[in-house]
């Protein structure tokens, strides 16, 4: 069953990880309904917020791939109605 999730992605070293993160975001773009990113250039960091609509298995694949990247932290939260 598809549902909505929020996914917070923290990149603590943009030089190392940003290209890899962007590739995964591109690979899963059909499930991304909203993407907002805030680069913090002075700290070499970025915060990315994603609204994701997919099955739990697809979400697990997405967050798992992101979580394997060094200098990347990921947190997902399901959105429930009511």
């Amino acid at each position: 069953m598809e549902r909505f999730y929020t996914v917070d992605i923290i990149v603590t070293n943009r030089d190392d990880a940003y290209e890899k993160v962007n590739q995964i975001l591109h690979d899963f773009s059909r499930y991304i309904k909203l993407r907002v990113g805030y680069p913090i250039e002075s700290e070499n960091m970025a915060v990315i917020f994603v609204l994701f609509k997919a099955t739990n298995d697809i979400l697990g694949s997405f967050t798992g791939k992101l979580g394997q990247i060094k200098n990347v932290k990921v947190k997902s939260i399901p959105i429930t109605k009511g």
Side-chain angles (χ1 to χ4, degrees), residues 5-82:
Y5 300 86
T6 62
V7 182
D8 298 324
I9 306 163
I10 311 297
V11 180
T12 59
N13 185 334
R14 290 179 67 214
D15 294 337
D16 250 11
Y18 214 63
E19 189 174 318
K20 296 171 193 169
V21 169
N22 277 325
Q23 183 59 52
I24 293 170
L25 290 169
H26 174 75
D27 293 345
F28 285 84
S29 62
R30 70 178 155 259
Y31 305 106
I32 296 173
K33 304 304 176 189
L34 174 73
R35 173 185 170 182
V36 179
Y38 296 98
I40 307 167
E41 293 177 11
S42 63
E43 301 292 328
N44 193 31
M45 293 177 55
V47 178
I48 304 167
F49 169 82
V50 174
L51 184 62
F52 199 83
K53 185 178 182 188
T55 65
N56 195 49
D57 290 343
I58 293 169
L59 174 76
S61 177
F62 175 64
T63 57
K65 288 179 182 190
L66 288 168
Q68 290 177 353
I69 301 171
K70 184 179 177 184
N71 299 310
V72 174
K73 307 270 191 257
V74 183
K75 175 75 174 182
S76 63
I77 302 170
I79 298 175
T80 58
K81 293 182 181 179

